[in-house]
């Protein structure tokens, strides 16, 4: 007896987009003491969010509001858009699934950068579509011309861009994205993943007023708001796209505690500003460290810094040697950025430990390579 799994699901790789630090610890038996690999916030959550979440526990026997209405209204006011332009989801990862389900299916193509945020590719594969990728430029920027060209040549249904980018950290000004968006085919939807937008300079966020009908802007409470484990984010798009999401999204997709925490955190702008300034300090520390060690870094408007190790082999050896010493980092998997490794801004203690351990690792590796 054997139930019949669809050929689509049978054809998918058994790999998952992210190997969690917990899984690596279980495999190696070495605990991570410096956890700077997943771009998690080292700066906690707003005390107001914590209070709201504690209170929400008292009503956890109730179903959550399936429309996340209070949060959507607050977000609408915050961003000066209509409430019916907002869909709340269990993080951008969930919303990417909705966008892909809405615009991708068998015979449909999604365009993105090779080695960009893997959840997009994961969903495209899962819904039977095809990923078409174009390489990053050698300097770590997304190749906007190549992405737009590919969207046209492939008659793509969807194009994905993270701005600021992960894993590179690089970013474009919104005015530069306008030309990119204008150059896309009329029928091609476009995801602008703004997971790191709070850390970026003024003029980076894509304007939400009078939104182009092809655009979906995605935001999250996982990074600057420090709520990655709560799983909550949102999409801003036209009411037509939001209506489409509502047809397929899990009705109770965002739990009650996360909704309450996000609402409170949204109103604590001072807290978020404090996180942004601590992250800026941390990026400066990493950049100074890199300079001392003769490594270059990519420009970053995120909560991490991407260090250039020169070659793929050296970057991988650095990652492995750091892991042996209890330091969790990640590295880009595809050329040209596979020569780099990516380090999240950690706590003061984590940054000090990293600054102590990285030079040891480099001398060990460079002696072995030489
Ligand atoms: C961290 C990150 C996200 C956040 O995803 P959530 O599901 O909201 O936690 C989305 N996109 C990119 C590029 C990221 O790096």
């Amino acid at each position: 007896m054997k139930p019949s799994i669809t050929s689509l699901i049978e054809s998918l790789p058994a790999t998952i987009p992210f190997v969690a630090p917990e899984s690596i610890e279980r495999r190696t038996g070495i605990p991570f003491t410096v956890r700077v690999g997943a771009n998690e916030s080292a700066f906690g959550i707003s005390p107001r969010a914590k209070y709201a979440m504690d209170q929400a526990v008292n009503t956890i026997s109730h179903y959550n509001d399936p429309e996340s209405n209070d949060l959507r209204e607050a977000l609408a006011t915050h961003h000066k858009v209509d409430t019916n332009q907002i869909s709340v989801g269990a993080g951008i990862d969930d919303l990417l699934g909705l966008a892909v389900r809405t615009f991708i299916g068998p015979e449909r193509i999604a365009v993105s950068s090779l080695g960009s945020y893997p959840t997009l590719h994961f969903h495209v594969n899962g819904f039977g579509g095809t990923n078409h990728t174009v390489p990053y430029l050698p300097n770590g920027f997304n190749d906007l011309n190549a992405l737009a060209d590919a969207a046209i040549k492939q008659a793509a249904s969807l194009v994905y861009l993270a701005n600021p980018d992960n894993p590179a950290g690089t970013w474009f000004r919104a005015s530069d994205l306008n030309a990119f968006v204008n150059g896309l085919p009329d029928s091609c939807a476009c995801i602008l993943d703004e997971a790191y937008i709070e850390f970026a300079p003024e003029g980076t966020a894509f304007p939400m007023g009078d939104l182009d009908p092809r655009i979906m802007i995605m935001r999250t409470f996982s990074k600057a708001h420090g709520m990655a484990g709560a799983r909550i984010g949102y999409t801003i798009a036209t009411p037509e796209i939001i209506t489409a999401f509502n047809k397929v999204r899990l009705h109770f997709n965002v739990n009650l505690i996360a909704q309450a925490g996000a609402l409170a955190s949204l109103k604590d702008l001072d807290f978020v500003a404090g996180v942004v300034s601590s992250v800026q300090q941390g990026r400066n520390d990493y950049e100074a460290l890199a300079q001392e060690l003769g490594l270059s870094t990519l420009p970053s408007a995120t909560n991490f810094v991407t260090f250039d190790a020169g070659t793929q082999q050296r970057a991988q050896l650095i990652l492995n040697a750091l892991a042996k010493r209890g330091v969790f980092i990640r590295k880009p998997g595809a050329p040209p950025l596979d020569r780099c490794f990516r380090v999240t801004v950690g706590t003061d203690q984590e940054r000090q430990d990293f600054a102590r351990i990285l030079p040891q690792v480099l001398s060990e590796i460079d002696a072995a390579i030489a």
Side-chain angles (χ1 to χ4, degrees):
M1 267 190 291
K2 194 166 173 244
S4 160
I5 293 175
T6 66
S7 54
L8 170 61
I9 300 302
E10 284 285 15
S11 75
L12 298 177
T15 51
I16 53 167
F18 300 104
V19 181
E22 291 82 0
S23 314
I24 302 171
E25 286 173 333
R26 281 192 290 271
R27 196 179 64 223
T28 62
I30 304 171
F32 286 123
T33 51
V34 180
R35 182 168 165 139
V36 288
N39 302 343
E40 294 154 325
S41 178
F43 306 101
I45 58 168
S46 150
R48 289 203 228 166
K50 180 172 187 316
Y51 178 77
M53 293 166 103
D54 284 345
Q55 293 300 107
V57 172
N58 295 320
T59 54
I60 202 70
S61 57
H62 297 171
Y63 278 101
N64 48 318
D65 175 5
E67 295 174 32
S68 298
N69 193 63
D70 293 349
L71 177 60
R72 281 172 54 245
E73 284 189 347
L75 286 166
T77 306
H78 184 78
H79 291 300
K80 303 191 178 65
V81 298
D82 279 350
T83 310
N84 65 4
Q85 286 188 267
I86 302 173
S87 182
V88 174
I92 291 179
D93 285 12
D94 177 26
L95 296 157
L96 287 174
L98 294 176
V100 168
R101 195 166 174 198
T102 301
F103 290 104
I104 294 291
E107 316 292 317
R108 289 202 179 199
I109 293 173
V111 168
S112 59
S113 293
L114 177 65
S116 61
Y117 194 62
T119 308
L120 189 270
H121 310 127
F122 169 82
H123 285 305
V124 169
N125 291 335
F127 287 110
T130 303
N131 284 296
H132 180 90
T133 55
V134 303
Y136 282 87
L137 293 166
N139 64 3
F141 281 78
N142 284 282
D143 189 339
L144 295 184
N145 292 333
L147 286 167
D149 279 355
I152 295 166
K153 288 211 185 83
Q154 302 293 325
S157 300
L158 182 65
V159 59
Y160 169 88
L161 181 74
N163 191 52
D165 185 76
N166 178 18
T170 54
W171 74 102
F172 294 101
R173 297 179 52 82
S175 50
D176 296 327
L177 290 188
N178 247 328
F180 164 72
V181 169
N182 289 336
L184 295 176
D186 287 350
S187 60
C188 183
C190 175
I191 295 172
L192 294 177
D193 180 340
E194 296 190 338
Y196 299 96
I197 199 69
E198 293 88 347
F199 305 108
E202 195 88 15
T204 307
F206 201 76
M208 293 177 179
D210 199 15
L211 198 59
D212 183 297
R214 294 167 296 181
I215 301 267
M216 291 164 273
I217 295 172
M218 297 197 179
R219 297 270 182 109
T220 183
F221 288 90
S222 293
K223 304 284 157 63
H225 293 267
M227 293 173 45
R231 311 303 309 127
I232 183 161
Y234 55 98
T235 295
I236 302 211
T238 57
E240 288 71 22
I241 292 179
I242 301 304
T243 302
F245 279 21
N246 279 336
K247 292 179 186 173
V248 290
R249 76 180 172 86
L250 211 53
H251 203 51
F252 294 106
N253 57 350
V254 178
N255 75 78
L256 184 151
I257 296 172
Q259 287 183 25
L263 180 59
S265 194
L266 184 69
K267 293 180 174 164
D268 197 350
L269 297 178
D270 287 346
F271 171 79
V272 175
V275 171
V276 168
S277 115
S278 300
V279 163
Q280 174 70 57
Q281 179 59 49
R283 286 201 312 247
N284 294 347
D285 290 354
Y286 283 159
E287 281 156 13
L289 173 69
Q291 208 163 21
E292 256 171 56
L293 297 172
L295 294 169
S296 57
T297 53
L298 303 186
S300 171
T302 64
N303 67 351
F304 60 86
V305 171
T306 300
F307 291 65
D308 192 336
T311 65
Q312 189 279 335
Q313 183 206 19
R314 187 159 176 248
Q316 187 65 52
L317 289 172
I318 291 170
L319 182 143
N320 296 348
L322 285 171
K324 269 198 205 140
R325 288 170 163 83
V327 180
F328 168 58
I329 62 162
R330 285 202 173 114
K331 69 180 289 303
L337 296 185
D338 56 352
R339 64 176 201 269
C340 298
F341 60 95
R342 193 195 71 182
V343 189
T344 308
V345 171
T347 59
D348 283 348
Q349 184 64 53
E350 284 175 320
R351 266 135 64 195
Q352 281 171 29
D353 290 346
F354 183 73
R356 180 171 46 79
I357 298 169
L358 181 62
Q360 298 168 2
V361 158
L362 286 182
S363 3
E364 175 188 299
I365 284 167
D366 291 337
I369 296 180

